[in-house]
Amino acid sequence: MVATTDGGGREGSLDAPTRHPINWRDPAFYDQDALEQELHRVFDICHGCRRCFSLCQSFPTLFDAIDASPTMELDGVDKRVYWRVVENCYLCDMCYMTKCPYVPPHPWNVDFPHLMLRAKALRARRGKLSVADRLLSSTEAVGRIAGIPVVAEIVNAANRNAVARKLLDQALGVDPRAPLPKYYSRTARRRLKHALRRDLPAQASGDTRGQAVLFTTCYGNRNEPELAQDLAAVFEHNGIGLVLAASERCCGMPKL
């Protein structure tokens, strides 16, 4: 049996989620009071449902704080906890796509990831990002420096050294147990610049034209160039012409 809401929507994720555009150009998007009101509204709905308890750490952080509060309701939770919930969301979208029964078109219009994104945008606009956050999320800048010949070898050796990892933890908050990627001075773009087969005849298949452009990505270009090399080999084996994108910029996801 399907439960019907007064607004005509159906509960239980029986309808496909409807994604509303983020109104990030509206000044109200960055109004902290309005944001905290919306955080309170959505967190209260989450508290009454708790289907997402097993997903990212945002939800246990919220639910544990509520359970430990004097009232055992959201009104007893310090607003500073709200921002800890925001910090623990890494925007995987699993709650929205697979768990939440109140996503649009449900009239409650719960979009937890977009709300977390709004909160992160507000913090960034108000300059509340740490130096470590700004530095570690600047993948292009870090990659250019760490990928310099000789420097790359020094960085890779330091990332394997226990003393250096402790210093990195103290300076930037990178846990010594966290695996770190290796840096290569011979990036994927350098390796493939003259190696790609552009002379392969295009053989259209279905809706494709038999040609492709490779976007190596920050990680694929500087940290695991073999991925792009292997992919290029697969395309060549299948007779598909492949070229590198004329230029690339970071997609911005690390900033989120």
Side-chain angles (χ1 to χ4, degrees), residues 74-101:
L74 187 61
D75 60 7
V77 175
D78 191 313
K79 291 288 179 65
R80 288 176 294 185
V81 174
Y82 289 16
W83 296 99
R84 292 210 300 271
V85 175
V86 172
E87 289 170 0
N88 277 287
C89 174
Y90 51 90
L91 303 172
C92 71
D93 228 24
M94 288 294 290
C95 57
Y96 185 90
M97 297 303 297
T98 69
K99 287 282 189 179
C100 182

PDB file of all heavy atoms in Angstrom, residues 74-101:
ATOM      1  N   LEU A  74      16.157  18.000  18.954  1.00  0.00           N
ATOM      2  CA  LEU A  74      17.092  18.887  18.272  1.00  0.00           C
ATOM      3  C   LEU A  74      17.236  20.235  18.972  1.00  0.00           C
ATOM      4  O   LEU A  74      18.306  20.848  18.921  1.00  0.00           O
ATOM      5  CB  LEU A  74      16.651  19.092  16.813  1.00  0.00           C
ATOM      6  CG  LEU A  74      17.614  19.854  15.906  1.00  0.00           C
ATOM      7  CD1 LEU A  74      18.951  19.123  15.788  1.00  0.00           C
ATOM      8  CD2 LEU A  74      17.007  20.063  14.516  1.00  0.00           C
ATOM      9  N   ASP A  75      16.171  20.683  19.663  1.00  0.00           N
ATOM     10  CA  ASP A  75      16.249  21.988  20.317  1.00  0.00           C
ATOM     11  C   ASP A  75      17.249  22.019  21.465  1.00  0.00           C
ATOM     12  O   ASP A  75      17.624  23.084  21.952  1.00  0.00           O
ATOM     13  CB  ASP A  75      14.868  22.443  20.799  1.00  0.00           C
ATOM     14  CG  ASP A  75      14.249  21.473  21.809  1.00  0.00           C
ATOM     15  OD1 ASP A  75      14.928  20.523  22.243  1.00  0.00           O
ATOM     16  OD2 ASP A  75      13.056  21.658  22.149  1.00  0.00           O
ATOM     17  N   GLY A  76      17.712  20.841  21.905  1.00  0.00           N
ATOM     18  CA  GLY A  76      18.694  20.780  22.970  1.00  0.00           C
ATOM     19  C   GLY A  76      20.126  20.675  22.477  1.00  0.00           C
ATOM     20  O   GLY A  76      21.050  20.549  23.285  1.00  0.00           O
ATOM     21  N   VAL A  77      20.324  20.748  21.162  1.00  0.00           N
ATOM     22  CA  VAL A  77      21.660  20.584  20.567  1.00  0.00           C
ATOM     23  C   VAL A  77      22.294  21.944  20.308  1.00  0.00           C
ATOM     24  O   VAL A  77      21.649  22.846  19.759  1.00  0.00           O
ATOM     25  CB  VAL A  77      21.568  19.781  19.253  1.00  0.00           C
ATOM     26  CG1 VAL A  77      22.924  19.723  18.562  1.00  0.00           C
ATOM     27  CG2 VAL A  77      21.048  18.380  19.532  1.00  0.00           C
ATOM     28  N   ASP A  78      23.550  22.086  20.692  1.00  0.00           N
ATOM     29  CA  ASP A  78      24.305  23.306  20.432  1.00  0.00           C
ATOM     30  C   ASP A  78      24.447  23.498  18.920  1.00  0.00           C
ATOM     31  O   ASP A  78      24.756  22.553  18.193  1.00  0.00           O
ATOM     32  CB  ASP A  78      25.694  23.192  21.072  1.00  0.00           C
ATOM     33  CG  ASP A  78      26.448  24.512  21.080  1.00  0.00           C
ATOM     34  OD1 ASP A  78      26.489  25.185  20.033  1.00  0.00           O
ATOM     35  OD2 ASP A  78      27.009  24.871  22.135  1.00  0.00           O
ATOM     36  N   LYS A  79      24.243  24.730  18.439  1.00  0.00           N
ATOM     37  CA  LYS A  79      24.311  25.015  16.999  1.00  0.00           C
ATOM     38  C   LYS A  79      25.703  24.715  16.424  1.00  0.00           C
ATOM     39  O   LYS A  79      25.841  24.498  15.217  1.00  0.00           O
ATOM     40  CB  LYS A  79      23.954  26.486  16.741  1.00  0.00           C
ATOM     41  CG  LYS A  79      22.482  26.813  17.000  1.00  0.00           C
ATOM     42  CD  LYS A  79      21.602  26.222  15.915  1.00  0.00           C
ATOM     43  CE  LYS A  79      20.124  26.522  16.175  1.00  0.00           C
ATOM     44  NZ  LYS A  79      19.798  27.944  16.105  1.00  0.00           N
ATOM     45  N   ARG A  80      26.720  24.697  17.271  1.00  0.00           N
ATOM     46  CA  ARG A  80      28.052  24.369  16.764  1.00  0.00           C
ATOM     47  C   ARG A  80      28.119  22.943  16.229  1.00  0.00           C
ATOM     48  O   ARG A  80      28.946  22.634  15.364  1.00  0.00           O
ATOM     49  CB  ARG A  80      29.096  24.573  17.865  1.00  0.00           C
ATOM     50  CG  ARG A  80      29.367  26.040  18.189  1.00  0.00           C
ATOM     51  CD  ARG A  80      30.317  26.206  19.346  1.00  0.00           C
ATOM     52  NE  ARG A  80      29.728  25.726  20.605  1.00  0.00           N
ATOM     53  CZ  ARG A  80      30.311  25.840  21.798  1.00  0.00           C
ATOM     54  NH1 ARG A  80      31.504  26.424  21.895  1.00  0.00           N
ATOM     55  NH2 ARG A  80      29.722  25.388  22.887  1.00  0.00           N
ATOM     56  N   VAL A  81      27.254  22.085  16.750  1.00  0.00           N
ATOM     57  CA  VAL A  81      27.207  20.705  16.248  1.00  0.00           C
ATOM     58  C   VAL A  81      26.761  20.682  14.790  1.00  0.00           C
ATOM     59  O   VAL A  81      27.193  19.823  14.016  1.00  0.00           O
ATOM     60  CB  VAL A  81      26.263  19.853  17.116  1.00  0.00           C
ATOM     61  CG1 VAL A  81      26.094  18.459  16.524  1.00  0.00           C
ATOM     62  CG2 VAL A  81      26.793  19.756  18.541  1.00  0.00           C
ATOM     63  N   TYR A  82      25.901  21.631  14.406  1.00  0.00           N
ATOM     64  CA  TYR A  82      25.444  21.687  13.018  1.00  0.00           C
ATOM     65  C   TYR A  82      26.623  21.706  12.058  1.00  0.00           C
ATOM     66  O   TYR A  82      26.600  21.064  11.010  1.00  0.00           O
ATOM     67  CB  TYR A  82      24.592  22.934  12.791  1.00  0.00           C
ATOM     68  CG  TYR A  82      23.223  22.926  13.427  1.00  0.00           C
ATOM     69  CD1 TYR A  82      22.882  22.018  14.436  1.00  0.00           C
ATOM     70  CD2 TYR A  82      22.258  23.853  13.039  1.00  0.00           C
ATOM     71  CE1 TYR A  82      21.624  22.028  15.028  1.00  0.00           C
ATOM     72  CE2 TYR A  82      20.993  23.870  13.618  1.00  0.00           C
ATOM     73  CZ  TYR A  82      20.684  22.967  14.616  1.00  0.00           C
ATOM     74  OH  TYR A  82      19.441  22.980  15.186  1.00  0.00           O
ATOM     75  N   TRP A  83      27.645  22.477  12.422  1.00  0.00           N
ATOM     76  CA  TRP A  83      28.793  22.620  11.526  1.00  0.00           C
ATOM     77  C   TRP A  83      29.676  21.382  11.537  1.00  0.00           C
ATOM     78  O   TRP A  83      30.370  21.107  10.561  1.00  0.00           O
ATOM     79  CB  TRP A  83      29.569  23.894  11.883  1.00  0.00           C
ATOM     80  CG  TRP A  83      28.708  25.093  11.658  1.00  0.00           C
ATOM     81  CD1 TRP A  83      28.006  25.800  12.592  1.00  0.00           C
ATOM     82  CD2 TRP A  83      28.391  25.684  10.393  1.00  0.00           C
ATOM     83  NE1 TRP A  83      27.281  26.799  11.993  1.00  0.00           N
ATOM     84  CE2 TRP A  83      27.499  26.761  10.649  1.00  0.00           C
ATOM     85  CE3 TRP A  83      28.786  25.415   9.082  1.00  0.00           C
ATOM     86  CZ2 TRP A  83      26.995  27.552   9.624  1.00  0.00           C
ATOM     87  CZ3 TRP A  83      28.286  26.213   8.068  1.00  0.00           C
ATOM     88  CH2 TRP A  83      27.394  27.267   8.330  1.00  0.00           C
ATOM     89  N   ARG A  84      29.659  20.628  12.619  1.00  0.00           N
ATOM     90  CA  ARG A  84      30.371  19.342  12.610  1.00  0.00           C
ATOM     91  C   ARG A  84      29.674  18.366  11.665  1.00  0.00           C
ATOM     92  O   ARG A  84      30.322  17.560  10.996  1.00  0.00           O
ATOM     93  CB  ARG A  84      30.455  18.762  14.026  1.00  0.00           C
ATOM     94  CG  ARG A  84      31.342  19.561  14.958  1.00  0.00           C
ATOM     95  CD  ARG A  84      32.000  18.668  16.012  1.00  0.00           C
ATOM     96  NE  ARG A  84      31.030  17.988  16.850  1.00  0.00           N
ATOM     97  CZ  ARG A  84      30.532  18.490  17.977  1.00  0.00           C
ATOM     98  NH1 ARG A  84      30.908  19.685  18.400  1.00  0.00           N
ATOM     99  NH2 ARG A  84      29.662  17.806  18.698  1.00  0.00           N
ATOM    100  N   VAL A  85      28.352  18.438  11.618  1.00  0.00           N
ATOM    101  CA  VAL A  85      27.598  17.616  10.666  1.00  0.00           C
ATOM    102  C   VAL A  85      27.994  17.994   9.238  1.00  0.00           C
ATOM    103  O   VAL A  85      28.240  17.126   8.391  1.00  0.00           O
ATOM    104  CB  VAL A  85      26.084  17.802  10.868  1.00  0.00           C
ATOM    105  CG1 VAL A  85      25.298  17.048   9.791  1.00  0.00           C
ATOM    106  CG2 VAL A  85      25.660  17.327  12.256  1.00  0.00           C
ATOM    107  N   VAL A  86      28.082  19.289   8.974  1.00  0.00           N
ATOM    108  CA  VAL A  86      28.468  19.773   7.645  1.00  0.00           C
ATOM    109  C   VAL A  86      29.866  19.283   7.271  1.00  0.00           C
ATOM    110  O   VAL A  86      30.107  18.823   6.150  1.00  0.00           O
ATOM    111  CB  VAL A  86      28.403  21.316   7.600  1.00  0.00           C
ATOM    112  CG1 VAL A  86      28.989  21.844   6.291  1.00  0.00           C
ATOM    113  CG2 VAL A  86      26.967  21.795   7.768  1.00  0.00           C
ATOM    114  N   GLU A  87      30.794  19.366   8.208  1.00  0.00           N
ATOM    115  CA  GLU A  87      32.177  18.965   7.940  1.00  0.00           C
ATOM    116  C   GLU A  87      32.284  17.487   7.576  1.00  0.00           C
ATOM    117  O   GLU A  87      33.148  17.101   6.791  1.00  0.00           O
ATOM    118  CB  GLU A  87      33.051  19.248   9.165  1.00  0.00           C
ATOM    119  CG  GLU A  87      33.307  20.724   9.405  1.00  0.00           C
ATOM    120  CD  GLU A  87      33.968  20.978  10.741  1.00  0.00           C
ATOM    121  OE1 GLU A  87      34.225  19.994  11.469  1.00  0.00           O
ATOM    122  OE2 GLU A  87      34.208  22.154  11.070  1.00  0.00           O
ATOM    123  N   ASN A  88      31.415  16.663   8.127  1.00  0.00           N
ATOM    124  CA  ASN A  88      31.508  15.223   7.899  1.00  0.00           C
ATOM    125  C   ASN A  88      30.824  14.767   6.617  1.00  0.00           C
ATOM    126  O   ASN A  88      30.940  13.597   6.235  1.00  0.00           O
ATOM    127  CB  ASN A  88      30.920  14.467   9.087  1.00  0.00           C
ATOM    128  CG  ASN A  88      31.902  14.318  10.231  1.00  0.00           C
ATOM    129  OD1 ASN A  88      32.839  13.539  10.150  1.00  0.00           O
ATOM    130  ND2 ASN A  88      31.696  15.083  11.292  1.00  0.00           N
ATOM    131  N   CYS A  89      30.122  15.667   5.942  1.00  0.00           N
ATOM    132  CA  CYS A  89      29.486  15.308   4.668  1.00  0.00           C
ATOM    133  C   CYS A  89      30.488  15.479   3.539  1.00  0.00           C
ATOM    134  O   CYS A  89      31.060  16.557   3.363  1.00  0.00           O
ATOM    135  CB  CYS A  89      28.258  16.182   4.414  1.00  0.00           C
ATOM    136  SG  CYS A  89      27.522  15.929   2.775  1.00  0.00           S
ATOM    137  N   TYR A  90      30.716  14.424   2.764  1.00  0.00           N
ATOM    138  CA  TYR A  90      31.609  14.541   1.607  1.00  0.00           C
ATOM    139  C   TYR A  90      30.847  14.438   0.293  1.00  0.00           C
ATOM    140  O   TYR A  90      31.418  14.118  -0.758  1.00  0.00           O
ATOM    141  CB  TYR A  90      32.742  13.514   1.683  1.00  0.00           C
ATOM    142  CG  TYR A  90      32.323  12.091   1.930  1.00  0.00           C
ATOM    143  CD1 TYR A  90      32.040  11.240   0.878  1.00  0.00           C
ATOM    144  CD2 TYR A  90      32.244  11.594   3.233  1.00  0.00           C
ATOM    145  CE1 TYR A  90      31.663   9.920   1.105  1.00  0.00           C
ATOM    146  CE2 TYR A  90      31.860  10.279   3.466  1.00  0.00           C
ATOM    147  CZ  TYR A  90      31.589   9.458   2.400  1.00  0.00           C
ATOM    148  OH  TYR A  90      31.200   8.147   2.625  1.00  0.00           O
ATOM    149  N   LEU A  91      29.554  14.743   0.338  1.00  0.00           N
ATOM    150  CA  LEU A  91      28.731  14.934  -0.862  1.00  0.00           C
ATOM    151  C   LEU A  91      28.693  13.715  -1.772  1.00  0.00           C
ATOM    152  O   LEU A  91      28.738  13.833  -2.995  1.00  0.00           O
ATOM    153  CB  LEU A  91      29.235  16.167  -1.638  1.00  0.00           C
ATOM    154  CG  LEU A  91      29.259  17.472  -0.844  1.00  0.00           C
ATOM    155  CD1 LEU A  91      29.953  18.565  -1.640  1.00  0.00           C
ATOM    156  CD2 LEU A  91      27.863  17.903  -0.448  1.00  0.00           C
ATOM    157  N   CYS A  92      28.573  12.539  -1.180  1.00  0.00           N
ATOM    158  CA  CYS A  92      28.491  11.321  -1.994  1.00  0.00           C
ATOM    159  C   CYS A  92      27.118  11.165  -2.636  1.00  0.00           C
ATOM    160  O   CYS A  92      26.963  10.444  -3.620  1.00  0.00           O
ATOM    161  CB  CYS A  92      28.818  10.090  -1.150  1.00  0.00           C
ATOM    162  SG  CYS A  92      27.526   9.666   0.047  1.00  0.00           S
ATOM    163  N   ASP A  93      26.105  11.816  -2.054  1.00  0.00           N
ATOM    164  CA  ASP A  93      24.738  11.821  -2.594  1.00  0.00           C
ATOM    165  C   ASP A  93      23.957  10.540  -2.301  1.00  0.00           C
ATOM    166  O   ASP A  93      22.841  10.368  -2.794  1.00  0.00           O
ATOM    167  CB  ASP A  93      24.743  12.075  -4.104  1.00  0.00           C
ATOM    168  CG  ASP A  93      23.736  13.135  -4.521  1.00  0.00           C
ATOM    169  OD1 ASP A  93      23.372  13.969  -3.676  1.00  0.00           O
ATOM    170  OD2 ASP A  93      23.309  13.132  -5.684  1.00  0.00           O
ATOM    171  N   MET A  94      24.523   9.629  -1.531  1.00  0.00           N
ATOM    172  CA  MET A  94      23.844   8.353  -1.271  1.00  0.00           C
ATOM    173  C   MET A  94      22.534   8.548  -0.517  1.00  0.00           C
ATOM    174  O   MET A  94      21.543   7.874  -0.791  1.00  0.00           O
ATOM    175  CB  MET A  94      24.758   7.423  -0.482  1.00  0.00           C
ATOM    176  CG  MET A  94      25.922   6.864  -1.285  1.00  0.00           C
ATOM    177  SD  MET A  94      25.372   5.757  -2.591  1.00  0.00           S
ATOM    178  CE  MET A  94      24.789   4.368  -1.613  1.00  0.00           C
ATOM    179  N   CYS A  95      22.507   9.481   0.441  1.00  0.00           N
ATOM    180  CA  CYS A  95      21.274   9.691   1.201  1.00  0.00           C
ATOM    181  C   CYS A  95      20.161  10.156   0.280  1.00  0.00           C
ATOM    182  O   CYS A  95      19.022   9.698   0.372  1.00  0.00           O
ATOM    183  CB  CYS A  95      21.507  10.681   2.337  1.00  0.00           C
ATOM    184  SG  CYS A  95      22.137  12.301   1.821  1.00  0.00           S
ATOM    185  N   TYR A  96      20.488  11.064  -0.632  1.00  0.00           N
ATOM    186  CA  TYR A  96      19.476  11.606  -1.533  1.00  0.00           C
ATOM    187  C   TYR A  96      18.999  10.554  -2.535  1.00  0.00           C
ATOM    188  O   TYR A  96      17.803  10.409  -2.786  1.00  0.00           O
ATOM    189  CB  TYR A  96      20.051  12.815  -2.282  1.00  0.00           C
ATOM    190  CG  TYR A  96      19.043  13.517  -3.165  1.00  0.00           C
ATOM    191  CD1 TYR A  96      18.268  14.562  -2.668  1.00  0.00           C
ATOM    192  CD2 TYR A  96      18.859  13.143  -4.492  1.00  0.00           C
ATOM    193  CE1 TYR A  96      17.332  15.199  -3.453  1.00  0.00           C
ATOM    194  CE2 TYR A  96      17.930  13.780  -5.292  1.00  0.00           C
ATOM    195  CZ  TYR A  96      17.173  14.808  -4.774  1.00  0.00           C
ATOM    196  OH  TYR A  96      16.243  15.430  -5.563  1.00  0.00           O
ATOM    197  N   MET A  97      19.929   9.804  -3.098  1.00  0.00           N
ATOM    198  CA  MET A  97      19.589   8.901  -4.202  1.00  0.00           C
ATOM    199  C   MET A  97      19.021   7.566  -3.742  1.00  0.00           C
ATOM    200  O   MET A  97      18.267   6.926  -4.486  1.00  0.00           O
ATOM    201  CB  MET A  97      20.832   8.651  -5.065  1.00  0.00           C
ATOM    202  CG  MET A  97      21.381   9.899  -5.739  1.00  0.00           C
ATOM    203  SD  MET A  97      20.171  10.748  -6.794  1.00  0.00           S
ATOM    204  CE  MET A  97      19.850   9.491  -8.025  1.00  0.00           C
ATOM    205  N   THR A  98      19.348   7.113  -2.527  1.00  0.00           N
ATOM    206  CA  THR A  98      18.982   5.746  -2.164  1.00  0.00           C
ATOM    207  C   THR A  98      18.205   5.597  -0.862  1.00  0.00           C
ATOM    208  O   THR A  98      17.597   4.548  -0.639  1.00  0.00           O
ATOM    209  CB  THR A  98      20.234   4.855  -2.055  1.00  0.00           C
ATOM    210  OG1 THR A  98      21.007   5.261  -0.914  1.00  0.00           O
ATOM    211  CG2 THR A  98      21.090   4.951  -3.308  1.00  0.00           C
ATOM    212  N   LYS A  99      18.239   6.585   0.020  1.00  0.00           N
ATOM    213  CA  LYS A  99      17.697   6.372   1.361  1.00  0.00           C
ATOM    214  C   LYS A  99      16.509   7.249   1.714  1.00  0.00           C
ATOM    215  O   LYS A  99      15.513   6.772   2.274  1.00  0.00           O
ATOM    216  CB  LYS A  99      18.801   6.602   2.408  1.00  0.00           C
ATOM    217  CG  LYS A  99      19.845   5.508   2.487  1.00  0.00           C
ATOM    218  CD  LYS A  99      19.336   4.306   3.255  1.00  0.00           C
ATOM    219  CE  LYS A  99      20.454   3.307   3.516  1.00  0.00           C
ATOM    220  NZ  LYS A  99      19.959   2.148   4.282  1.00  0.00           N
ATOM    221  N   CYS A 100      16.623   8.550   1.448  1.00  0.00           N
ATOM    222  CA  CYS A 100      15.665   9.502   2.004  1.00  0.00           C
ATOM    223  C   CYS A 100      14.292   9.387   1.334  1.00  0.00           C
ATOM    224  O   CYS A 100      14.195   9.494   0.108  1.00  0.00           O
ATOM    225  CB  CYS A 100      16.197  10.924   1.858  1.00  0.00           C
ATOM    226  SG  CYS A 100      15.098  12.160   2.589  1.00  0.00           S
ATOM    227  N   PRO A 101      13.227   9.204   2.113  1.00  0.00           N
ATOM    228  CA  PRO A 101      11.874   9.141   1.539  1.00  0.00           C
ATOM    229  C   PRO A 101      11.239  10.511   1.350  1.00  0.00           C
ATOM    230  O   PRO A 101      10.107  10.603   0.883  1.00  0.00           O
ATOM    231  CB  PRO A 101      11.104   8.322   2.578  1.00  0.00           C
ATOM    232  CG  PRO A 101      11.762   8.661   3.867  1.00  0.00           C
ATOM    233  CD  PRO A 101      13.228   8.876   3.555  1.00  0.00           C
TER     234      PRO A 101
END
